[in-house]
Amino acid sequence: MKVLVIGSGGREHAICRAFRKSPKVTQLYCANGNAGIAQIAECVPIRPDDIGALADFAAANAIELTFVGPEVTLALGIVDLFESRGLRIVGPSREAAQLEASKAFAKDFMARNGVPTAKFTMSHSADFAVLELESGDFGGPENPVVVKADGLAAGKGVVVAKNRADAINAINEMAALVGTAAAEKIVLEECLTGREVSLLMFVDGEQFALMPPVRDHKRIGEGDTGPNTGGMGTITDAGLLTDDQLQEIKDTIIRPTLHGCIREGFRYRGILFLGLMMTAKGPMLLEYNVRFGDPETQAILVRLETDLVDICAAMLEVGGTAATPLSSLEIKWRAGSSACVVLASEGYPGKPRTGDPIRGLAEAAAMPNVEIFHAGTMSEAPASAGGQLAQGRGAPLPEPSLVTAGGRVLGVTATGTDLNAALASAYAAVAKISFDGMQFRRDIGK
Ligand code: AMP
Ligand code: GLY
């Protein structure tokens, strides 16, 4: 089977690795990919927002299965486009992708379908949002309140303001921070307290199959300090949710969500990601994502034992001809826990410095229970050009040397019989790797 993966981060490296393990996959392509992905897949230079070119590529190369990493690609309607051209693709439709692409859409959907979530209002301008705050709906001037831009903002569109004055600043600065399109509508939310956990699942339109619960560490600094990032590390561990909590999430959040999608006329198919806050009043939904998370995926997929191709077939063929539908596919996960520690460049999450040589990667990757996923990495000389030059001179092929090429550079991931074992392996591998300006958190999973 010929498979195409779309995206170029650590998440997509983990997805490519999972497809590579499948004996059914004969050829694997990735658009755009990165230096790590290039070692296991053929990278093609098509941007994730050029959905027309992606469909042309899939048709011309007889791709039999396409899997999408990033939300932008889904929000642009790649699934509708591929389906209209008879191309097999896993993911939600453009309409279903609104659950992530518009926070106002998602909050209204939750309210219509009785999904527990923070109290909220939606304003069509910054001025109205400020008036809303001053009306006192979110408590007095000392009360914390959460300010969110409506549209996709690559993790930058949420500010948890500690009081009204900070919230007003956040409202007024939102358009400059995330762009006027994403900030056209502003959502204000009651600030919830509790432990955060994420739950991802495979969905076939009716049934769902849960993945291990996962926790992300979003702030750059240890002890959850400093600005938000795309994610500095993740763990999977059964202890993140009790059986009772899981049951409550299924009953109050997952089933109402999937029924809501069917009732409102859009079938949800693909990966559904719930960002949850476990409050004193029970689980509340912070957000939907319509795709795998980054770096959640790295920690989740290292534990997947079932063939990802079989899971995709089951998601795609509800009521159809799949050998095993999702409802009866037994998805197996390696027992124990996992951890992913992100190594980031100097300057991240602001403007990252790039071009720093990465040392120690091979030694780290050879350690037991460790898998390293690339995000912002680049071969210093393109492997093919470098190889040809070297061969022309009769010299042996050099190991391609890698340099940093983005904010988040590597996701050092390990499994273990329990969380401490997974963390110990991940940090032992981290200790082998270095590049100038390298930043990472020493308290992942603590
Ligand atoms: P989101 O992109 O909606 O998940 O928000 C990003 C982060 O902001 C979440 O992971 C939470 O840490 C925080 N957050 C979002 N909404 C709320 C809320 N209503 N109360 C408290 N924290 C929140
Ligand atoms: N790590 C958070 C996300 O992928 O949305």
Side-chain angles (χ1 to χ4, degrees), residues 155-429:
K156 287 186 286 186
V158 176
V159 176
V160 181
K162 62 179 188 299
N163 55 38
R164 188 186 288 172
D166 284 4
I168 291 175
N169 278 339
I171 291 169
N172 289 325
E173 283 165 15
M174 195 55 93
L177 193 65
V178 302
T180 44
E184 208 177 295
K185 292 182 224 159
I186 301 277
V187 173
L188 298 177
E189 269 183 39
E190 157 201 20
C191 189
L192 301 176
T193 51
R195 287 165 78 83
E196 274 187 64
V197 60
S198 298
L199 198 54
L200 285 78
M201 67 206 83
F202 301 103
V203 183
D204 68 4
E206 289 168 13
Q207 308 290 328
F208 61 92
L210 293 178
M211 304 184 206
V214 59
R215 172 165 293 141
D216 188 12
H217 297 65
K218 289 198 164 102
R219 304 294 193 95
I220 186 79
E222 281 158 26
D224 286 331
T225 53
N228 261 328
T229 70
M232 292 300 289
T234 43
I235 54 162
T236 72
D237 184 65
L240 288 173
L241 288 172
T242 65
D243 288 348
D244 286 348
Q245 287 172 322
L246 264 177
Q247 192 57 48
E248 196 176 354
I249 294 166
K250 287 183 198 169
D251 293 342
T252 65
I253 299 179
I254 300 176
R255 292 202 176 91
T257 295
L258 298 184
H259 287 155
C261 290
I262 293 169
R263 195 171 46 240
E264 298 192 12
F266 53 93
R267 204 177 35 169
Y268 192 98
R269 208 152 69 173
I271 309 297
L272 181 64
F273 171 145
L274 306 177
L276 300 161
M277 183 80 89
M278 305 306 292
T279 74
K281 287 191 278 180
M284 308 268 265
L285 184 64
L286 294 178
E287 64 166 350
Y288 294 111
N289 292 321
V290 299
R291 46 154 181 98
F292 266 124
D294 189 345
E296 286 83 352
T297 308
Q298 291 86 316
I300 290 172
L301 288 185
V302 287
R303 290 184 53 198
L304 179 65
E305 291 180 336
T306 303
D307 189 330
L308 186 55
V309 170
D310 293 341
I311 301 176
C312 290
M315 278 192 284
L316 284 176
E317 292 179 29
V318 61
T321 53
T324 315
L326 193 60
S327 51
S328 43
L329 187 69
E330 199 202 330
I331 299 179
K332 292 209 176 71
W333 301 96
R334 182 190 289 210
S337 307
S338 63
C340 169
V341 179
V342 169
L343 307 183
S345 303
E346 184 170 311
Y348 182 74
K351 194 176 173 345
R353 193 177 74 198
T354 57
D356 289 306
I358 303 168
R359 294 172 291 263
L361 212 48
E363 202 187 336
M367 296 179 74
N369 304 321
V370 170
E371 290 199 46
I372 296 177
F373 299 108
H374 292 229
T377 64
M378 204 173 73
S379 289
E380 200 156 36
S384 54
Q388 277 159 14
L389 281 178
Q391 276 171 346
R393 289 192 217 103
L397 281 176
E399 279 282 307
S401 60
L402 290 178
V403 297
T404 62
R408 291 187 292 176
V409 177
L410 296 164
V412 181
T413 311
T415 51
T417 48
D418 60 22
L419 184 57
N420 283 334
L423 287 166
S425 295
Y427 278 109

